[in-house]
Amino acid sequence: MHSTPISLLLSTLLAFTVSATPASKRCTGTISSLSDVAAAVKCTTININSFTVTAGSTFDLELLDGTTVNLLGDVTFGVSNWVGPLFQIAGNNVVFNGNGHTFNGNGPSYWDGQGGNGGVTKPKFMKLKNSGTFTNLKILNSPVHVFSINGDGPLTVSSITIDDSAGDAANSASDGDPAGHNTDGFDVSANNLIIKDSVVMNQDDCLAINKGSNITFQNNKCSGGHGISVGSISSDVTVSKVYITGNTVTDSDNGLRIKTKSDATGASVSGIYYTGNTLSTIHKYGVLIDQSYPDTLGTPGTGVTLSDVQFISGNTVSVDSSATRVAVNCGSGSCTGTWNWSGLTATGGKAGTINYSGITGFSNTGSSSTTTTKSSTTTTKTSTTTT
């Protein structure tokens, strides 16, 4: 009998281990119910078939690096009054392809005109914590907020359709108001993010950037909601290097907003660049920069430094006859530097008050009146918002 050297046994075992581990990651997992998720996420290719997610549960994908996820059918989320999220994805260098299929949140079963401010508890829909790409998905009837995007990226989100347009109509629970409320399209607290080539039809912000850096929002279409926003900005956060480019906003309360909380401290917003955006049929404010949130044009706070807000070229704003073209409400000393607004043209409605003298190159071409500019703060309106 011949004995096998221990070194040979160890080499064989090591070779088996090295070869077996990648093989397990190269498998294809299939998800047809939540019970399939645990096994599927051990693979680097995952196919999702049409199914209904159990009410009150998160469809949670904690993925291996480099995983590709293919949606092969529509997914419907069961109805339960809880906080959510309904779907969550995390992982590095992940490719998610919705292939044009739909995530249906059953919004009408929740909508009561109050969104997250009251009424029944409504789950938030989508939480993205991955880097890579997330593309080609339709979101139908979100109960409340749609995308919450976090992390350092890089992440590109593209070719998304958010259709909450059914929430524009009142229902038996909404007291004559639109039933959908707080249906934010993209809530962002992330770095190194691109959102492009997408459509949002909703009843709140199309985009709301709460913190982060190096964020691009490009070639998107927003309608029915509250427009494109930086903020609301809370204490001790930083927003910088934001590029709002080539978007259209129609039939919305607001066009472009920067909103900072009046009681916020230790925060900063800098490097907000607008290029080639087209806004039309805006009902309240075409461009609104306001440091009195949650009031509108109330007493502004001074705890958020706001600088380098530039309208570079090709931004056109057209507002309703009763709306305000442009209003700027800075706290004393909290807006700094020179803001070149030569790339902004605003028409229709009435002129608003601009209380920051560092804005250059802007001429309000509306037919009602010229823009008023002054260096002191303004308290022209204090109606509290609920967005």
Side-chain angles (χ1 to χ4, degrees):
M1 178 180 294
H2 298 283
S3 61
T4 303
I6 292 177
S7 60
L8 179 59
L9 286 173
L10 290 175
S11 297
T12 302
L13 179 60
L14 179 60
F16 174 78
T17 302
V18 170
S19 62
T21 301
S24 66
K25 292 183 179 181
R26 288 197 297 268
C27 62
T28 297
T30 300
I31 297 175
S32 299
S33 71
L34 288 187
S35 63
D36 297 328
V37 172
V41 296
K42 297 176 182 178
C43 300
T44 54
T45 300
I46 298 174
N47 295 328
I48 303 173
N49 293 323
S50 180
F51 76 103
T52 297
V53 176
T54 307
S57 299
T58 299
F59 184 5
D60 192 357
L61 296 178
E62 298 282 340
L63 302 174
L64 299 173
D65 291 357
T67 295
T68 296
V69 180
N70 301 300
L71 186 60
L72 303 182
D74 298 341
V75 175
T76 301
F77 292 82
V79 175
S80 178
N81 297 122
W82 68 302
V83 297
L86 299 179
F87 175 81
Q88 180 170 275
I89 186 170
N92 298 315
N93 300 316
V94 168
V95 175
F96 182 100
N97 189 349
N99 290 301
H101 293 293
T102 298
F103 276 7
N104 186 343
N106 271 316
S109 297
Y110 301 93
W111 292 339
D112 53 16
Q114 299 185 63
N117 300 319
V120 302
T121 302
K122 306 167 186 73
K124 294 184 179 181
F125 208 148
M126 313 274 292
K127 182 172 285 189
L128 306 189
K129 300 187 293 181
N130 61 297
S131 62
T133 61
F134 192 98
T135 189
N136 201 16
L137 178 68
K138 180 178 181 179
I139 305 295
L140 180 65
N141 294 339
S142 171
V144 68
H145 307 268
V146 185
F147 280 94
S148 175
I149 304 178
N150 306 94
D152 288 328
L155 174 64
T156 297
V157 178
S158 64
S159 301
I160 304 296
T161 297
I162 296 172
D163 186 358
D164 285 333
S165 58
D168 292 343
N171 65 14
S172 60
S174 67
D175 195 27
D177 294 327
H181 192 67
N182 294 139
T183 50
D184 299 46
F186 298 97
D187 286 337
V188 172
S189 297
N191 301 314
N192 305 310
L193 172 67
I194 298 171
I195 301 171
K196 66 178 184 177
D197 303 328
S198 296
V199 176
V200 178
M201 297 169 280
N202 68 341
Q203 296 82 35
D204 211 297
D205 291 328
C206 179
L207 169 73
I209 300 173
N210 299 307
K211 66 178 181 179
S213 178
N214 197 25
I215 298 164
T216 298
F217 192 70
Q218 179 177 341
N219 295 337
N220 303 290
K221 297 179 179 179
C222 308
S223 66
H226 296 174
I228 297 171
S229 296
V230 174
S232 58
I233 302 300
S234 301
S235 295
D236 303 317
V237 302
T238 299
V239 173
S240 63
K241 297 180 181 178
V242 174
Y243 305 90
I244 308 297
T245 303
N247 305 285
T248 62
V249 181
T250 60
D251 190 24
S252 298
D253 279 358
N254 307 292
L256 302 171
R257 281 196 297 177
I258 299 176
K259 47 184 179 177
T260 70
K261 293 182 178 179
S262 61
D263 60 354
T265 60
S268 67
V269 176
S270 63
I272 313 299
Y273 306 116
Y274 299 100
T275 305
N277 301 287
T278 302
L279 289 60
S280 62
T281 320
I282 304 301
H283 309 314
K284 293 182 178 180
Y285 294 93
V287 175
L288 176 63
I289 296 177
D290 192 359
Q291 296 202 291
S292 70
Y293 192 83
D295 289 343
T296 300
L297 298 180
T299 301
T302 59
V304 181
T305 302
L306 184 56
S307 63
D308 196 18
V309 178
Q310 313 289 354
F311 284 86
I312 296 172
S313 64
N315 299 281
T316 60
V317 179
S318 176
V319 304
D320 293 349
S321 59
S322 61
T324 299
R325 293 189 291 276
V326 177
V328 178
N329 184 31
C330 291
S332 178
S334 57
C335 293
T336 66
T338 299
W339 302 357
N340 185 349
W341 284 20
S342 60
L344 172 63
T345 301
T347 60
K350 57 188 177 182
T353 298
I354 295 177
N355 74 345
Y356 180 53
S357 59
I359 296 172
T360 65
F362 173 65
S363 174
N364 194 329
T365 59
S367 58
S368 297
S369 61
T370 57
T371 298
T372 301
T373 302
K374 61 180 183 178
S375 59
S376 60
T377 58
T378 180
T379 57
T380 58
K381 184 179 179 183
T382 57
S383 59
T384 302
T385 65
T386 58
T387 58

